[in-house]
Amino acid sequence: MARTVYCQYLKKEAEGLDFQLIPGEVGKRVFDNISKEAFALWQKKQTMLINEHKLNMMNPEHRQMLQDNMIKFLFEGEEIHIEGYRPPES
């Protein structure tokens, strides 16, 4: 049986992550309060941020910027805007 959490992003009960993906207190907070679905949405934003801003994950400042944006996106409901990005037209 899948683990469920009350997802703070989706505001409903949903399937939780299988394991803690991020180390530390922030990782525990994500594991306890964010669903697989919401984390997948964040991963798409994260990939876009990394690519558009040419972030280097070896740079602690870049990692901190991503973590700050993740907290804003998942817990504070803030939309992360990527400069110059336009969704594809269907």
Side-chain angles (χ1 to χ4, degrees), residues 52-84:
E52 291 298 318
H53 294 285
K54 296 177 176 42
L55 300 181
N56 176 353
M57 293 301 89
M58 296 299 290
N59 182 328
E61 291 172 4
H62 290 185
R63 288 194 313 267
Q64 186 62 50
M65 188 267 279
L66 267 184
Q67 181 171 300
D68 293 345
N69 278 295
M70 178 185 68
I71 291 168
K72 288 176 187 175
F73 181 78
L74 292 174
F75 295 105
E76 297 170 9
E78 193 171 307
E79 184 59 37
I80 306 301
H81 299 285
I82 293 137
E83 228 173 282

